[in-house]
Amino acid sequence: MQYNFLDQKDPQMAELLKLEQTRQRDGLALIPSENYVSPAVMEALGSSLTNKYAEGYPGKRYYSGNIAVDKVENLARDRAKSLFGVPYVNVQPYSGSPANFAVYFALLEPGDAFMGLDLLHGGHLTHGWKFSATSKFWKSVPYGVLPDGQIDFEALEKSAQENKPKLIWCGGTALPRLIDFERFGKIADEIGAYLVADVSHISGLIVGGAHPSPAPFAHLITTTTHKTLRGPRGAMIMVTEKGLAKDAELPEKIDKAIIPGLQGGPHMNAIASIGVALHEASQPEFKDYSRRIVENARALADGLIEHGFKLVSGGTDNHLLLVDLTPGGNGRGVFLHEALEAAHIYTNKNMIPGDPSTPFYPSGLRLGTPAVTTRAMGKDEMALIADFMSRVAEKIKDVQLPGDKESRLALLKEFRASLQDAFYSDIAAEVKMLCDRFPVEV
Ligand code: DSN
């Protein structure tokens, strides 16, 4: 790996970037929100548009010199509209959290009630988690999932009738099952609330036809652009036909919430790069890609179940899996996450619904297949990955989380030292051999 300029101009930083490239190239990226962008997406992101300020919107900027950037933003917007089948898109949010904040800012008054999936049940921080600013400025009324991992629609409907939220979020970050957007739409319509679908995790599956679209049922859709959609870090807010019918001013309200409400200059390089990713997502190969993501997630689920792992909801309909580690003891997610990392298998510890432990020591592990599918791995490779994971889990099966804080910290220190064992570097070598067979541009 070589850089044209960095190697000379800033070798210290160049070394760090190479360290990360090596990690991405030689390890298994199983974090469901991560992916590998194409060289074309990366090129647009590193283009001269990074030099340009363009506060405002196409045709209405506060800076001169917009010949190219106006066309870039319009092209990205048009591509998103056509791909998601919606009449309006804002492509300027810096990322998912700012996009969701803009929705609150556009639609709610301070103190208004809203509903979102509890973080501990797979929701996002910005869907009303108690430590998020969203629950400081607006009144968060969370809903949850049933023990089988499905949304508890009965409780949600009852609570919606009682609390009359102005806005209901659907979507999440750790939901392995299809989202019934139609049922959400009915509940929101009964009380006159806005339904906002945050499809950050599954937007690539939606445009690829591997997950139903919320467009007929939601008023607004938010999504990040860097997960299954395989673009750069960024986000979009869309207004659907249904949203326009409810409030024809929604596009203007969203635009104003982004700027001057929350943001200044849009990151035009990211917007160009989003445009490239949207173009890629409109190609026939992307349909195949999104289908294979789900196929691989199911194969990985089957492989893990064969090795004795328990999965929340018993499997998956999308790109992600949530492993319930409680059969081996509570709060063990951190140990498996770190042990797998020592073997160059990257996952993330995660709460499971009704978790008996705490967010730092959760009882689950979240996995996903978007990145390994980008590397063109398939079902056979998912079986190998399940085998690697099972060997690592077996190695640490006797590690149990102590009850008190001091003992936990002491154990974690001792556990981390144990990860120097050759057992992990040997598996990492096998992981590298697998990765070498499925090269990826990083
Ligand atoms: N933090 C993201 C995820 O990993 O799911 C959601 O924003």
Coordinates of all heavy atoms in Angstrom, one line a residue, residues 147-210:
P147 N -40.4 -11.4 23.6 CA -39.3 -12.3 23.8 C -38.8 -13.0 22.5 O -37.6 -13.3 22.3 CB -39.8 -13.3 24.8 CG -40.9 -12.7 25.5 CD -41.5 -11.7 24.6
D148 N -39.7 -13.1 21.5 CA -39.3 -13.7 20.2 C -38.6 -12.7 19.3 O -38.3 -13.1 18.2 CB -40.5 -14.4 19.6 CG -41.5 -13.4 19.1 OD1 -41.3 -12.2 19.3 OD2 -42.5 -13.9 18.5
G149 N -38.5 -11.5 19.8 CA -37.7 -10.5 18.9 C -38.6 -9.7 18.0 O -38.2 -8.8 17.3
Q150 N -39.9 -10.0 18.0 CA -40.9 -9.3 17.1 C -41.4 -8.1 17.9 O -41.5 -8.1 19.1 CB -42.0 -10.2 16.7 CG -41.6 -11.4 16.0 CD -41.3 -11.2 14.5 OE1 -41.4 -10.1 14.0 NE2 -40.9 -12.2 13.8
I151 N -41.7 -7.0 17.1 CA -42.3 -5.8 17.8 C -43.5 -6.1 18.5 O -44.4 -6.9 18.0 CB -42.6 -4.7 16.7 CG1 -41.4 -4.3 15.8 CG2 -43.3 -3.5 17.3 CD1 -40.4 -3.5 16.5
D152 N -43.7 -5.6 19.7 CA -44.9 -5.8 20.5 C -45.9 -4.8 20.1 O -46.1 -3.8 20.7 CB -44.6 -5.7 22.0 CG -45.7 -6.1 22.9 OD1 -46.8 -6.3 22.4 OD2 -45.5 -6.1 24.1
F153 N -46.6 -5.2 19.0 CA -47.6 -4.2 18.4 C -48.8 -3.9 19.3 O -49.3 -2.8 19.3 CB -48.0 -4.7 17.0 CG -47.1 -4.4 15.9 CD1 -46.3 -5.4 15.3 CD2 -46.9 -3.1 15.5 CE1 -45.5 -5.1 14.2 CE2 -46.0 -2.8 14.4 CZ -45.3 -3.8 13.8
E154 N -49.2 -4.9 20.0 CA -50.4 -4.7 20.9 C -50.1 -3.6 21.9 O -50.9 -2.7 22.1 CB -50.8 -6.0 21.6 CG -51.8 -6.8 20.7 CD -52.2 -8.0 21.4 OE1 -52.4 -8.0 22.7 OE2 -52.4 -9.0 20.7
A155 N -48.9 -3.8 22.6 CA -48.5 -2.8 23.6 C -48.3 -1.5 23.0 O -48.7 -0.4 23.5 CB -47.3 -3.3 24.4
L156 N -47.7 -1.5 21.8 CA -47.4 -0.2 21.1 C -48.7 0.5 20.7 O -48.8 1.7 21.0 CB -46.6 -0.6 19.8 CG -46.5 0.4 18.7 CD1 -45.9 1.8 19.1 CD2 -45.6 -0.1 17.5
E157 N -49.7 -0.2 20.3 CA -50.9 0.4 19.9 C -51.6 1.0 21.1 O -52.1 2.2 21.1 CB -51.8 -0.6 19.2 CG -53.1 0.0 18.6 CD -53.8 -0.8 17.6 OE1 -53.4 -2.0 17.5 OE2 -54.6 -0.3 16.9
K158 N -51.6 0.3 22.2 CA -52.3 0.7 23.4 C -51.6 2.0 23.9 O -52.3 3.0 24.2 CB -52.2 -0.4 24.5 CG -53.0 -0.2 25.7 CD -53.1 -1.5 26.4 CE -53.7 -1.3 27.8 NZ -52.8 -0.9 28.8
S159 N -50.3 2.0 23.9 CA -49.5 3.1 24.4 C -49.7 4.3 23.5 O -49.8 5.5 23.9 CB -48.0 2.7 24.5 OG -47.3 3.9 24.8
A160 N -49.8 4.1 22.2 CA -50.0 5.2 21.2 C -51.4 5.8 21.5 O -51.5 7.1 21.4 CB -49.9 4.7 19.8
Q161 N -52.4 5.0 21.7 CA -53.7 5.5 22.0 C -53.7 6.4 23.3 O -54.4 7.4 23.4 CB -54.8 4.4 22.1 CG -55.0 3.6 20.9 CD -55.8 4.4 19.8 OE1 -56.4 5.4 20.2 NE2 -55.9 3.8 18.6
E162 N -53.0 5.9 24.3 CA -52.9 6.6 25.6 C -52.1 7.9 25.5 O -52.5 8.9 26.0 CB -52.3 5.7 26.6 CG -53.3 4.7 27.2 CD -52.5 3.7 28.1 OE1 -51.4 3.9 28.5 OE2 -53.2 2.6 28.3
N163 N -51.0 7.8 24.9 CA -50.0 8.9 24.9 C -50.1 9.9 23.7 O -49.5 11.0 23.7 CB -48.6 8.4 25.0 CG -48.3 7.7 26.3 OD1 -48.2 8.4 27.3 ND2 -48.2 6.4 26.3
K164 N -50.8 9.5 22.7 CA -51.0 10.4 21.5 C -49.8 11.0 21.0 O -49.7 12.3 21.0 CB -52.1 11.4 21.8 CG -53.5 10.9 22.1 CD -54.2 10.6 20.9 CE -55.7 10.1 21.1 NZ -55.9 8.8 21.8
P165 N -48.7 10.3 20.7 CA -47.5 10.9 20.2 C -47.7 11.6 18.9 O -48.6 11.1 18.1 CB -46.6 9.7 20.0 CG -47.5 8.5 19.8 CD -48.7 8.8 20.6
K166 N -47.0 12.6 18.6 CA -47.1 13.3 17.3 C -46.3 12.6 16.3 O -46.6 12.8 15.1 CB -46.5 14.7 17.5 CG -47.4 15.8 17.0 CD -46.8 17.1 17.4 CE -47.3 18.3 16.6 NZ -46.8 19.6 17.1
L167 N -45.4 11.8 16.7 CA -44.5 11.1 15.7 C -44.2 9.7 16.3 O -43.9 9.5 17.5 CB -43.2 12.0 15.7 CG -42.0 11.6 14.8 CD1 -41.1 12.9 14.7 CD2 -41.2 10.5 15.2
I168 N -44.1 8.7 15.4 CA -43.7 7.4 15.7 C -42.6 7.0 14.8 O -42.7 7.1 13.6 CB -44.9 6.4 15.6 CG1 -46.0 6.7 16.5 CG2 -44.4 5.0 15.9 CD1 -47.3 5.8 16.4
W169 N -41.5 6.5 15.4 CA -40.3 6.0 14.7 C -40.5 4.5 14.5 O -40.9 3.8 15.4 CB -39.0 6.2 15.4 CG -38.5 7.5 15.5 CD1 -38.6 8.4 16.6 CD2 -37.8 8.3 14.5 NE1 -38.0 9.6 16.3 CE2 -37.5 9.6 15.1 CE3 -37.3 8.0 13.2 CZ2 -36.8 10.5 14.4 CZ3 -36.7 9.0 12.5 CH2 -36.4 10.2 13.1
C170 N -40.2 4.0 13.3 CA -40.1 2.5 13.2 C -38.7 2.3 12.6 O -38.1 3.2 11.9 CB -41.2 1.9 12.4 SG -41.4 2.5 10.7
G171 N -38.1 1.2 12.8 CA -36.8 0.9 12.4 C -35.9 0.8 13.6 O -36.3 1.2 14.7
G172 N -34.7 0.2 13.4 CA -33.8 0.1 14.6 C -32.4 -0.3 14.1 O -32.1 -0.3 13.0
T173 N -31.6 -0.7 15.1 CA -30.2 -1.1 14.8 C -29.9 -2.5 15.2 O -28.8 -3.0 14.9 CB -29.2 -0.2 15.7 OG1 -29.5 -0.5 17.0 CG2 -29.4 1.3 15.4
A174 N -30.8 -3.2 15.8 CA -30.5 -4.6 16.1 C -31.8 -5.5 16.0 O -32.1 -6.3 16.8 CB -30.0 -4.7 17.6
L175 N -32.5 -5.3 14.9 CA -33.7 -6.0 14.6 C -33.5 -7.0 13.5 O -33.3 -6.6 12.3 CB -34.8 -5.0 14.1 CG -35.5 -4.2 15.1 CD1 -36.5 -3.2 14.4 CD2 -36.3 -5.0 16.1
P176 N -33.5 -8.3 13.8 CA -33.1 -9.3 12.8 C -34.3 -9.7 11.9 O -34.2 -10.5 11.0 CB -32.6 -10.5 13.6 CG -33.2 -10.3 14.9 CD -33.6 -8.9 15.2
R177 N -35.5 -9.1 12.2 CA -36.7 -9.6 11.4 C -37.3 -8.5 10.5 O -37.0 -7.3 10.8 CB -37.8 -10.1 12.4 CG -37.4 -11.3 13.1 CD -37.1 -12.5 12.2 NE -36.8 -13.7 12.8 CZ -36.5 -14.8 12.2 NH1 -36.5 -14.9 10.9 NH2 -36.2 -15.9 12.8
L178 N -38.1 -8.8 9.6 CA -38.7 -7.9 8.7 C -39.5 -6.9 9.5 O -40.2 -7.3 10.5 CB -39.7 -8.6 7.7 CG -39.1 -9.4 6.6 CD1 -40.2 -9.9 5.6 CD2 -38.0 -8.7 5.8
I179 N -39.6 -5.6 9.0 CA -40.4 -4.6 9.8 C -41.7 -4.5 9.0 O -41.8 -4.3 7.8 CB -39.7 -3.3 9.8 CG1 -38.3 -3.4 10.5 CG2 -40.5 -2.2 10.5 CD1 -37.4 -2.2 10.4
D180 N -42.8 -4.7 9.8 CA -44.2 -4.6 9.2 C -44.6 -3.1 9.2 O -45.3 -2.6 10.0 CB -45.1 -5.4 10.1 CG -46.5 -5.5 9.5 OD1 -46.8 -4.8 8.6 OD2 -47.3 -6.3 10.0
F181 N -44.1 -2.4 8.1 CA -44.4 -1.0 8.0 C -45.9 -0.7 7.9 O -46.3 0.3 8.3 CB -43.7 -0.5 6.7 CG -42.2 -0.5 6.8 CD1 -41.4 -1.2 5.9 CD2 -41.5 0.2 7.8 CE1 -40.0 -1.3 6.0 CE2 -40.1 0.1 7.9 CZ -39.4 -0.6 7.0
E182 N -46.6 -1.6 7.3 CA -48.0 -1.4 7.1 C -48.7 -1.3 8.5 O -49.6 -0.4 8.7 CB -48.6 -2.5 6.3 CG -50.1 -2.3 5.9 CD -50.6 -3.3 4.9 OE1 -49.9 -4.2 4.5 OE2 -51.8 -3.1 4.5
R183 N -48.4 -2.2 9.4 CA -49.0 -2.2 10.7 C -48.6 -0.9 11.4 O -49.5 -0.3 12.1 CB -48.6 -3.4 11.5 CG -49.3 -3.6 12.7 CD -49.6 -5.0 13.0 NE -50.4 -5.1 14.3 CZ -50.4 -6.1 15.1 NH1 -49.7 -7.2 14.8 NH2 -51.1 -6.1 16.2
F184 N -47.4 -0.5 11.3 CA -47.0 0.8 11.9 C -47.8 1.9 11.3 O -48.2 2.8 12.1 CB -45.5 1.1 11.6 CG -44.5 0.5 12.7 CD1 -43.7 -0.6 12.4 CD2 -44.4 1.1 13.9 CE1 -42.9 -1.1 13.4 CE2 -43.5 0.6 14.9 CZ -42.8 -0.5 14.6
G185 N -48.0 1.9 10.0 CA -48.7 3.0 9.3 C -50.1 3.1 9.9 O -50.6 4.2 10.1
K186 N -50.8 1.9 10.1 CA -52.1 1.9 10.6 C -52.2 2.6 12.0 O -53.1 3.4 12.3 CB -52.7 0.5 10.6 CG -53.1 0.0 9.3 CD -54.0 -1.3 9.5 CE -54.3 -1.8 8.1 NZ -53.9 -3.2 7.9
I187 N -51.3 2.2 12.8 CA -51.3 2.7 14.2 C -51.1 4.2 14.2 O -51.8 5.0 14.9 CB -50.2 2.0 15.1 CG1 -50.6 0.5 15.2 CG2 -50.0 2.6 16.4 CD1 -49.5 -0.4 15.9
A188 N -50.1 4.7 13.4 CA -49.9 6.1 13.3 C -51.1 6.8 12.8 O -51.5 7.9 13.3 CB -48.6 6.4 12.4
D189 N -51.7 6.3 11.7 CA -52.9 6.9 11.1 C -54.0 7.1 12.1 O -54.8 8.1 12.1 CB -53.3 6.2 9.8 CG -52.3 6.3 8.7 OD1 -51.4 7.2 8.8 OD2 -52.3 5.6 7.7
E190 N -54.2 6.0 12.9 CA -55.3 6.0 13.8 C -55.3 7.2 14.8 O -56.3 7.8 15.2 CB -55.3 4.8 14.7 CG -56.0 3.6 14.1 CD -55.6 2.3 14.8 OE1 -55.1 2.3 16.0 OE2 -55.8 1.2 14.2
I191 N -54.1 7.7 15.1 CA -54.0 8.8 16.0 C -53.4 10.1 15.4 O -53.1 11.1 16.0 CB -53.0 8.4 17.2 CG1 -51.7 8.0 16.7 CG2 -53.7 7.4 18.1 CD1 -50.6 8.0 17.8
G192 N -53.3 10.0 14.0 CA -52.9 11.2 13.3 C -51.5 11.6 13.5 O -51.1 12.7 13.3
A193 N -50.6 10.6 13.8 CA -49.2 10.8 14.1 C -48.4 10.7 12.8 O -48.9 10.0 11.8 CB -48.6 9.9 15.1
Y194 N -47.3 11.3 12.7 CA -46.3 11.1 11.6 C -45.7 9.7 11.8 O -45.2 9.5 13.0 CB -45.2 12.1 11.6 CG -45.7 13.5 11.1 CD1 -45.9 14.5 12.0 CD2 -45.9 13.7 9.7 CE1 -46.3 15.8 11.5 CE2 -46.3 15.0 9.3 CZ -46.5 16.0 10.2 OH -46.9 17.2 9.7
L195 N -45.6 8.9 10.8 CA -44.7 7.7 10.9 C -43.4 8.0 10.2 O -43.4 8.4 9.0 CB -45.4 6.5 10.3 CG -44.6 5.2 10.3 CD1 -44.4 4.8 11.8 CD2 -45.2 4.1 9.5
V196 N -42.3 7.9 10.9 CA -41.0 8.1 10.3 C -40.3 6.8 10.3 O -40.0 6.2 11.4 CB -40.2 9.2 11.0 CG1 -39.0 9.5 10.2 CG2 -41.0 10.4 11.2
A197 N -39.9 6.3 9.1 CA -39.1 5.0 9.1 C -37.7 5.3 9.0 O -37.2 6.0 8.0 CB -39.6 4.2 7.8
D198 N -36.9 4.9 10.0 CA -35.5 5.0 10.0 C -34.9 3.7 9.4 O -34.8 2.7 10.2 CB -34.9 5.3 11.4 CG -33.4 5.4 11.4 OD1 -32.7 5.0 10.4 OD2 -32.9 5.9 12.4
V199 N -34.6 3.7 8.1 CA -34.2 2.5 7.5 C -32.7 2.4 7.3 O -32.2 1.7 6.4 CB -34.9 2.3 6.1 CG1 -36.4 2.2 6.4 CG2 -34.6 3.4 5.1
S200 N -31.9 3.1 8.2 CA -30.5 3.2 8.0 C -29.9 1.8 7.8 O -29.0 1.7 6.9 CB -29.9 3.8 9.3 OG -30.3 5.1 9.4
H201 N -30.3 0.8 8.6 CA -29.7 -0.5 8.4 C -30.0 -1.2 7.1 O -29.2 -1.9 6.6 CB -30.0 -1.4 9.6 CG -29.0 -1.3 10.7 ND1 -28.0 -2.3 10.8 CD2 -28.7 -0.4 11.6 CE1 -27.2 -2.0 11.8 NE2 -27.6 -0.8 12.3
I202 N -31.3 -1.0 6.7 CA -31.8 -1.9 5.6 C -32.0 -1.1 4.3 O -32.6 -1.7 3.4 CB -33.1 -2.6 6.1 CG1 -34.1 -1.5 6.6 CG2 -32.8 -3.6 7.2 CD1 -35.5 -2.0 6.9
S203 N -31.6 0.1 4.2 CA -31.9 0.8 3.0 C -31.3 0.2 1.7 O -32.0 0.2 0.7 CB -31.5 2.3 3.0 OG -30.1 2.4 3.4
G204 N -30.2 -0.5 1.8 CA -29.6 -1.2 0.7 C -30.5 -2.4 0.3 O -30.7 -2.7 -0.9
L205 N -31.0 -3.0 1.3 CA -31.9 -4.2 1.1 C -33.2 -3.7 0.4 O -33.7 -4.4 -0.5 CB -32.2 -4.9 2.4 CG -31.0 -5.4 3.2 CD1 -31.5 -6.2 4.4 CD2 -30.1 -6.3 2.3
I206 N -33.7 -2.6 0.9 CA -34.9 -2.0 0.3 C -34.8 -1.7 -1.2 O -35.5 -2.2 -2.0 CB -35.4 -0.8 1.1 CG1 -35.9 -1.2 2.5 CG2 -36.5 -0.1 0.3 CD1 -36.1 -0.1 3.5
V207 N -33.7 -1.0 -1.5 CA -33.6 -0.6 -2.9 C -33.2 -1.8 -3.8 O -33.5 -1.9 -5.0 CB -32.6 0.6 -3.2 CG1 -33.0 1.8 -2.4 CG2 -31.1 0.2 -2.8
G208 N -32.6 -2.8 -3.2 CA -32.3 -4.0 -3.9 C -33.4 -5.0 -3.9 O -33.3 -6.1 -4.5
G209 N -34.5 -4.7 -3.3 CA -35.7 -5.6 -3.3 C -35.7 -6.7 -2.3 O -36.5 -7.7 -2.4
A210 N -34.7 -6.7 -1.4 CA -34.6 -7.8 -0.4 C -35.4 -7.5 0.9 O -35.4 -8.3 1.8 CB -33.2 -8.1 -0.1

